[in-house]
Amino acid sequence: GENVEQHPSTLSVQEGDSAVIKCTYSDSASNYFPWYKQELGKGPQLIIDIRSNVGEKKDQRIAVTLNKTAKHFSLHITETQPEDSAVYFCARVERGDMRFGAGTRLTVKP
Amino acid sequence: DTEVTQTPKHLVMGMTNKKSLKCEQHMGHRAMYWYKQKAKKPPELMFVYSYEKLSINESVPSRFSPECPNSSLLNLHLHALQPEDSALYLCASSYQMTGVNTEAFFGQGTRLTVV
């Protein structure tokens, strides 16, 4: 399966600011795009996801947008808090094959 | 309940040892996955089981042998590993491998060190 490009690799924001992480993919058959948050010493935690028939999805401070034509999707975190600090992975899924981006280390400074 | 339980949490083994990693879920999920994660890298898919049958094997060396005894359990048998196999091994499950209900939930992982 094709990999996923994820940017930036590190992101530092001030508490209360917004954070945006972007991913691009090349496999047109991908139809499901989850985002995971991984804290040190823990497994990845599913925080939000989007399917190919939807352009945007929001859950409180977290939102994901998908542009299927351009093959990119983004994670938006508003009103960031120190506990949002973690590594975030985007992924694309096709027939059980989930491929992750390289990850973004987000640091929220109090 | 979205819990996937992995045991042990930590494992140190010699290159001649045989050990097993275990994964359990009681969410009624029919797809289960093994991933390997090296430090500061994303998880890499190793195996996928769907309805207790091996569906995907990402060309993993035979020293890693998966087993799915029933729909709730997934094992990874380890034999003659190399130091470069040291990593965090993650188990995940989802209701289905394909279709609508494919949200995957991960366990906390087993930190494996091969000496």
Side-chain angles (χ1 to χ4, degrees):
Chain A
E2 296 292 328
N3 289 330
V4 182
E5 297 284 332
Q6 181 172 347
H7 299 280
S9 57
T10 60
L11 180 59
S12 183
V13 299
Q14 207 66 38
E15 182 177 0
D17 287 350
S18 295
V20 180
I21 303 170
K22 298 182 179 180
C23 289
T24 59
Y25 64 99
S26 55
D27 187 351
S28 299
S30 298
N31 57 10
Y32 174 59
F33 306 90
W35 284 89
Y36 286 86
K37 173 185 181 182
Q38 188 172 26
E39 296 174 294
L40 194 62
K42 296 186 176 181
Q45 176 192 3
L46 179 66
I47 57 172
I48 196 166
D49 55 14
I50 193 166
R51 298 196 178 271
S52 58
N53 58 348
V54 175
E56 184 175 0
K57 183 177 178 181
K58 190 173 181 181
D59 182 3
Q60 299 183 344
R61 296 187 297 109
I62 296 174
V64 56
T65 57
L66 171 65
N67 184 326
K68 204 160 192 286
T69 303
K71 295 194 179 76
H72 64 73
F73 55 112
S74 299
L75 177 71
H76 305 254
I77 306 175
T78 59
E79 301 171 31
T80 54
Q81 301 168 2
E83 51 265 37
D84 294 330
S85 297
V87 178
Y88 290 81
F89 293 102
C90 64
R92 70 104 181 106
V93 181
E94 187 214 339
R95 294 178 185 169
D97 183 357
M98 179 156 59
R99 301 282 167 162
F100 288 87
T104 296
R105 180 170 297 280
L106 173 65
T107 303
V108 180
K109 295 177 286 187
Chain B
D1 180 13
T2 56
E3 188 168 355
V4 177
T5 303
Q6 290 187 244
T7 55
K9 286 186 170 52
H10 301 274
L11 178 61
V12 179
M13 61 184 290
M15 290 187 283
T16 58
N17 290 160
K18 287 184 181 180
K19 296 286 185 183
S20 296
L21 309 185
K22 297 185 183 300
C23 175
E24 191 169 0
Q25 57 85 16
H26 296 288
M27 296 179 278
H29 289 177
R30 303 315 298 266
M32 296 186 77
Y33 311 76
W34 280 116
Y35 284 83
K36 174 183 178 179
Q37 186 177 27
K38 301 283 276 186
K40 299 187 178 181
K41 295 290 186 182
E44 295 179 357
L45 184 64
M46 300 175 72
F47 304 103
V48 181
Y49 274 82
S50 178
Y51 288 87
E52 300 158 48
K53 289 188 175 8
L54 184 64
S55 293
I56 297 177
N57 177 343
E58 288 289 322
S59 302
V60 178
S62 60
R63 58 185 184 270
F64 295 91
S65 176
E67 178 196 19
C68 189
N70 61 55
S71 59
S72 299
L73 295 174
L74 184 67
N75 298 322
L76 186 63
H77 303 297
L78 315 172
H79 173 54
L81 295 194
Q82 303 296 311
E84 57 264 31
D85 295 321
S86 298
L88 181 68
Y89 288 84
L90 293 161
C91 173
S93 72
S94 62
Y95 186 73
Q96 294 173 316
M97 191 178 90
T98 60
V100 178
N101 297 317
T102 55
E103 296 87 347
F105 299 95
F106 283 83
Q108 299 289 34
T110 293
R111 175 75 58 190
L112 174 67
T113 303
V114 181
V115 297

